[in-house]
Amino acid sequence: MMEFNDNKPIYRQILDYAFHCILSGTWHEGEMIPSVRELTSELGVNNRTVLKALDELQSLHVIESRRGMGFLLAQNGLEMVRNEKKRQFFKKTIPGIIEEMRLLGISSEEVASILSKADNK
């Protein structure tokens, strides 16, 4: 069962879980993903909450519905998730990092040096 926190809607946390499954290779492009019933049981949530997350994945063109079969990860699902996560990273994460750097007096040159070292590993 998944542990949920109160600072984010549950369906969004399920969406994050699905993104993780896709990015980590647990769910594969062109293959069926777990059914609503399986996800409901595994995550310990209401089926409507799972359906809301799956609707969001469909609207992002990450999954496709197959009548009578369930949902499968779209052929370009991994790319779609990466694009969405990158968008979120640049819109939400980076501004927070920049603010933290400002408060701590960390220069962009210091960060660039660390990133350069990480790239060389």
Side-chain angles (χ1 to χ4, degrees), residues 98-113:
I98 291 170
E99 177 62 13
E100 186 80 7
M101 287 171 56
R102 187 187 67 72
L103 292 171
L104 297 174
I106 298 171
S107 71
S108 56
E109 291 79 16
E110 289 176 275
V111 173
S113 173

Side-chain angles (χ1 to χ4, degrees), residues 2-53:
M2 192 168 157
E3 294 286 327
F4 295 100
N5 59 52
D6 293 337
N7 62 356
K8 192 178 206 181
I10 292 175
Y11 87 94
R12 283 270 181 214
Q13 294 176 64
I14 295 170
L15 196 60
D16 289 342
Y17 169 79
F19 283 174
H20 175 76
C21 289
I22 294 164
L23 291 170
S24 68
T26 303
W27 296 356
H28 302 278
E29 291 181 336
E31 294 182 6
M32 300 304 291
I33 66 169
S35 69
V36 172
R37 183 176 293 169
E38 289 169 325
L39 288 170
T40 298
S41 175
E42 179 182 340
L43 302 175
V45 295
N46 183 299
N47 67 338
R48 282 188 227 128
T49 307
V50 169
L51 283 169
K52 187 171 183 175

Side-chain angles (χ1 to χ4, degrees), residues 53-106:
L54 294 177
D55 284 345
E56 182 76 15
L57 287 172
Q58 268 191 292
S59 72
L60 293 169
H61 306 287
V62 172
I63 62 171
E64 300 170 359
S65 177
R66 290 291 186 253
R67 189 182 202 87
M69 295 177 61
F71 296 95
L72 62 86
L73 183 57
Q75 288 299 328
N76 63 343
L78 177 59
E79 178 186 353
M80 299 303 287
V81 168
R82 280 190 178 140
N83 289 340
E84 177 61 18
K85 291 297 283 183
K86 283 179 186 179
R87 187 191 67 73
Q88 290 174 12
F89 181 78
F90 286 113
K91 184 177 180 182
K92 296 178 181 174
T93 305
I94 291 291
I97 291 170
I98 291 170
E99 177 62 13
E100 186 80 7
M101 287 171 56
R102 187 187 67 72
L103 292 171
L104 297 174
I106 298 171

